[in-house]
Each structure stands twice: as structure tokens, then as C-alpha cells.
Amino acid sequence: MPPPYCYDHPRPAVTVDTLVFTLDGDAIRMLMVRRKAEPFAGQWAIPGGFLEIDEEIEDGVLRELREETGLDEVALLAPIGVFGELDRDPRGRTITLAHAAAVRGPAPEVTSGDDAAEAAWLEPDEVDQFAFDHVQIIAEGLQWLAIGIEMGPVALVLLPEEFDDADIKRLHAAIGASARDASAWCREMLENGVIAALPGTPKRYQGVLTPEDDFDDEADLTS
């Protein structure tokens, strides 16, 4: 018989929310769901839900993504913050463990499920209002995205496996950076051995080290 989970003192609920980014055409898009039920029914939110009592955190992250959007594979999954304001969830005290991740574009097809009425890839400024405190989580996620692109690992996920100067400029333009920033990034990544020029094809490149091998310190992308 399972334990009743009755305690002498109140305990908060714990959720996991995961912001997934992709480069789709010329735009950075993030994976969002439209809530089916209250609270905030009909509003856009980051995919997520309650962590089960016997579930590892990363397992819960991937389960919720799969159940609500059908997406079952992401790269560079990393924690970006703990959000626990007293009034963030009208159902009661709820603390969320927020994560960010990236996938290579074009944006993978997603399908809504579980308690999501709709799943879609949206641009960050496409929605005026989000459920819960998700606007704050999105702000943290965008910072993670910018740092990860600048350092290399997120850029290697978002860019095609083989890319050229135009692809690099397109990625940087999508986050508001200049063509000069893109050229400086390319030079730095070449000098540091993160990318390499493809032989016989001028100004075409590929990643030399995978993000998982070369950038495995989560602190590097969250500081």
C-alpha cells in the first residue's frame, strides 16, 4: 500500500517548467503551450507541470515536455532558476524549477496534449501576457540564450550542422546583434577551435566539439 503522504506541517508543491528555443528562419522562437484549465485558462505558458514524488528532476522535465508538446529530444538542458514567490500560483504555494534548452531548426512539429490546449513555436515578443510568473522565467531564459550563443554551445545547436557566414549573421540578427558581432564571434570560435572551416568550401564551417563534450559546466551558461 502506498504511503498516505500526510504531514504535520504544510509543504509546498514543486513544478518543472522548461523553455525550449530554436532558430526558425530568421527568428528565434520558443516553445509555448496554451493552458486548457484554470488557473490562467487560455493563456500562453511555458511547458511544465508538477514533479512526481518519486521522479528525478530531469525525468520530470522531459516527461512534461513530451506530454504537453510531443517534443521528446532537446539539447543543453540546463537549470536557469528557482521561482517561488508566495503568490505566483493561485492554487497554493508552488515552487518551480525552471530550465532552458535548445533544438536545431527548422522548428520541430509539436502537438498539444495532457492539459495543454495548444502547442506552438512563438517569438518572444509575440505574446503580451503569460500565465503565472512566466514573463520573468522567459527573461532568464533569454539571458541564458544570449550567453550560450556568445560562448558557442547554444549557437552550435541552433545553427545547421554545416553553416556559413550568412547563417552566423542570421543567428546574431535574431538576438539583436550586429553583423560585426557575428564576424567577431566567427573569428573567436575559429581561434578557440570550437568551429573549423570546411576544406574546399570557403567561409563554410562546422562545429569541432559537441556542446555536450566541450561545454558541460552548467554554471558557464547561467552566470
Side-chain angles (χ1 to χ4, degrees):
M1 176 181 296
Y5 301 120
C6 294
Y7 306 103
D8 294 334
H9 306 285
R11 296 196 175 200
V14 178
T15 58
V16 286
D17 292 310
T18 305
L19 192 55
V20 184
F21 294 101
T22 194
L23 179 63
D24 190 43
D26 293 331
I28 290 288
R29 298 185 186 275
M30 54 190 188
L31 180 57
M32 305 298 293
V33 296
R34 192 186 296 276
R35 289 184 56 79
K36 184 185 299 183
E38 295 293 352
F40 305 106
Q43 291 190 22
W44 289 103
I46 300 168
F50 289 97
L51 188 67
E52 295 181 356
I53 194 67
D54 57 352
E55 188 173 42
E56 297 290 345
I57 293 172
E58 186 170 320
D59 291 339
V61 165
L62 297 176
R63 173 184 56 78
E64 285 291 341
L65 276 176
R66 183 172 58 253
E67 290 177 354
E68 292 197 336
T69 72
L71 187 68
D72 58 7
E73 187 173 349
V74 296
L76 291 175
L77 180 65
I80 58 171
V82 177
F83 295 80
E85 292 295 326
L86 293 177
D87 59 352
R88 66 177 304 273
D89 190 332
R91 294 169 295 187
R93 183 68 193 279
T94 306
I95 297 170
T96 196
L97 311 176
H99 291 71
V103 294
R104 178 167 286 123
E109 182 177 351
V110 291
T111 56
S112 61
D114 195 25
D115 55 358
E118 182 181 356
W121 293 96
L122 305 177
E123 294 183 41
D125 59 356
E126 195 170 341
V127 179
D128 294 330
Q129 187 174 17
F130 294 94
F132 304 103
D133 54 356
H134 287 186
V135 66
Q136 286 88 358
I137 299 176
I138 290 169
E140 290 295 326
L142 290 171
Q143 183 178 23
W144 173 90
L145 178 75
I147 293 172
I149 289 174
E150 180 182 358
M151 294 181 61
V154 176
L156 292 183
V157 172
L158 297 177
L159 288 167
E161 291 186 10
E162 296 183 3
F163 51 91
D164 58 20
D165 286 347
D167 293 317
I168 297 172
K169 291 177 181 178
R170 179 168 57 94
L171 172 61
H172 282 75
I175 61 170
S178 67
R180 179 175 295 181
D181 293 330
S183 297
W185 180 91
C186 185
R187 289 194 301 271
E188 182 178 354
M189 294 299 107
L190 284 168
E191 291 171 0
N192 292 340
V194 177
I195 66 174
L198 290 170
T201 52
K203 296 190 177 181
R204 286 192 62 82
Y205 316 95
Q206 64 180 6
V208 175
L209 300 175
T210 67
E212 292 79 3
D213 289 341
D214 198 39
F215 301 93
D216 57 359
D217 186 352
E218 292 172 349
D220 287 344
L221 297 186
T222 55
S223 58

